[in-house]
Amino acid sequence: MVEARPRSTVEAGVQPLRRRPEKQLPYPLSIYQSAVGKKWVMAVTGVVGMAFITMHMLGNLKIYLGAEELNAYADGLRTVGAPFAPHGFLLWGVRLVLLPTLLLHVHAAWWLWRQNRRARPVKYQSKRDYIAADWASRTMTWTGPIVLLFLAFHLLDLTWGTANPDFRHGDVYHNMLASFDRWPVVVAYVAANLALGVHLYHGAWSLFQSLGVNNARINTARRVFATLFAVAIVGGYVSTPIAILIGVIE
Ligand code: HEM
C-alpha cells in the first residue's frame, strides 16, 4: 500500500518558523515601529542634520577672515550666554540634540535597508522608475557609512586632536592648518565630502516624499533645491582644505 504524502509542513510534523510578535510600544513611540514611522523619523532627523551641516559649513568659512575671527567665533560658541549660562552651554546643548538625532537616523536607515533586502522584489511600473529608485537607494547605502567613517576621523582630528599632528586646544585655525598640510588627509576630506554631497542630494530629494509631500507639480522645485543645497555644502566644505593645501590660507 502506498503511504499518503503529507500535504504541508505542519502535516509533516515540521513546525513553521514563527516570528516573535513585536511588543506594541505606547503612543507616540509606536509610530516608530512601522516602516512609515521610521521613514518619517529619518526625514525629520535628516532635516536637523542638514541644519547643523549648513551652520557648521558657514562657520568654517570664517577661516577666510583670518585666525582671530575664526578663533573668536569658536570661543564664542563656548562662552555664549555667559555669565548667566555655564561654559559650553550652547555646544553641549547642540551635542545633546545631535547625538540622539544621528543614532535615530542610522538606526532607522539600517532597519529600512534590512527590511528592503528581506522583502520580495516588487515590480516597478517602468524601467525608468526602476533605474532611478535603484540608484538612489544604492548610493544611500554606501555614502552613509562613508560619512560615518569620515565623522569618526574628523572628531579625532579636529575636536579631540588625537589624529592631528600638532593639536592646540582653543586654536581652531592652527589645528586646521596642521591637519590640511597633509595631502592624503585633504584627499580623504574631499572624497568624504563628495560622498556627503551625494547623500545630501538624495536625502533632500526624498525627504519630501517621506513627509508625505508627494506632488508631481513640485518635483522640479525639489530637484533644484536638492541640487543647489548639495553643491553649496560640498563647495563650502572642500574649499577650506584645498585652500590650505595650495597655500591660499597660510
Ligand atoms: C572640510 C570640511 C570640514 C572642516 C574643515 C571642519 C572643521 C571642523 C572643526 C575645526 C571642528 C572643531 C570646532 C571646534 O572645536 O570649535 C569641527 C567639529 C565638528 N565637525 Fe566639522 N568640519 C568639516 C566637515 C564636517 C562635516 C561634513 C560634518 C558632518 C557631517 C562635520 C561635523 C562636525 C562635528 C559633529 C564636530 C564636533 C562639534 C562638537 O564639538 O561637538 N564636520 N569641524
Side-chain angles (χ1 to χ4, degrees):
M1 201 175 111
V2 183
E3 218 171 281
R5 287 172 70 191
R7 274 176 299 178
S8 69
T9 48
V10 178
E11 232 177 88
V14 179
Q15 284 301 313
L17 273 177
R18 279 214 189 95
R19 284 242 192 101
R20 206 156 23 106
E22 209 180 348
K23 210 177 138 218
Q24 178 87 11
L25 294 172
Y27 179 82
L29 293 178
S30 55
I31 297 174
Y32 188 66
Q33 288 183 295
S34 69
V36 174
K38 285 198 179 66
K39 281 192 180 165
W40 206 82
V41 166
M42 275 201 72
V44 173
T45 52
V47 170
V48 175
M50 284 162 74
F52 168 77
I53 283 170
T54 307
M55 297 312 292
H56 183 34
M57 187 273 285
L58 293 175
N60 281 353
L61 294 182
K62 287 235 168 201
I63 198 165
Y64 294 101
L65 301 176
E68 253 178 55
E69 279 274 351
L70 180 70
N71 287 346
Y73 164 72
D75 191 48
L77 289 178
R78 287 161 174 88
T79 53
V80 72
F84 305 105
H87 187 84
F89 165 78
L90 177 70
L91 207 60
W92 278 103
V94 169
R95 286 171 180 163
L96 283 177
V97 173
L98 279 187
L99 191 62
T101 298
L102 180 69
L103 291 177
L104 272 175
H105 194 78
V106 172
H107 180 262
W110 172 77
W111 191 96
L112 289 165
W113 171 80
R114 208 181 46 157
Q115 204 206 31
N116 224 24
R117 274 184 54 136
R118 276 190 191 155
R120 211 177 293 165
V122 176
K123 275 204 160 188
Y124 286 90
Q125 280 170 343
S126 71
K127 206 177 165 197
R128 215 168 130 246
D129 280 355
Y130 172 75
I131 293 165
D134 196 40
W135 195 73
S137 59
R138 270 207 237 154
T139 59
M140 292 314 249
T141 54
W142 59 262
T143 53
I146 289 179
V147 172
L148 279 182
L149 283 176
F150 161 77
L151 200 56
F153 174 75
H154 180 51
L155 293 178
L156 288 169
D157 180 27
L158 290 170
T159 298
W160 301 312
T162 26
N164 192 292
D166 187 22
F167 191 77
R168 291 185 203 157
H169 271 286
D171 196 346
V172 174
Y173 189 88
H174 168 84
N175 297 338
M176 286 219 228
L177 259 69
S179 181
F180 301 138
D181 205 22
R182 306 168 290 176
W183 71 261
V185 171
V186 173
V187 170
Y189 264 77
V190 171
N193 277 281
L194 286 175
L196 173 72
V198 175
H199 197 85
L200 287 177
Y201 172 76
H202 283 294
W205 160 257
S206 53
L207 74 89
F208 293 93
Q209 199 129 1
S210 304
L211 293 175
V213 188
N214 193 7
N215 186 335
R217 275 178 305 171
I218 64 154
N219 276 357
T220 311
R222 274 170 71 188
R223 213 88 24 239
V224 170
F225 165 70
T227 309
L228 290 181
F229 182 70
V231 169
I233 293 292
V234 175
Y237 272 131
V238 301
S239 79
T240 312
I242 293 175
I244 292 173
L245 188 72
I246 62 174
V248 173
I249 301 171
E250 292 184 326

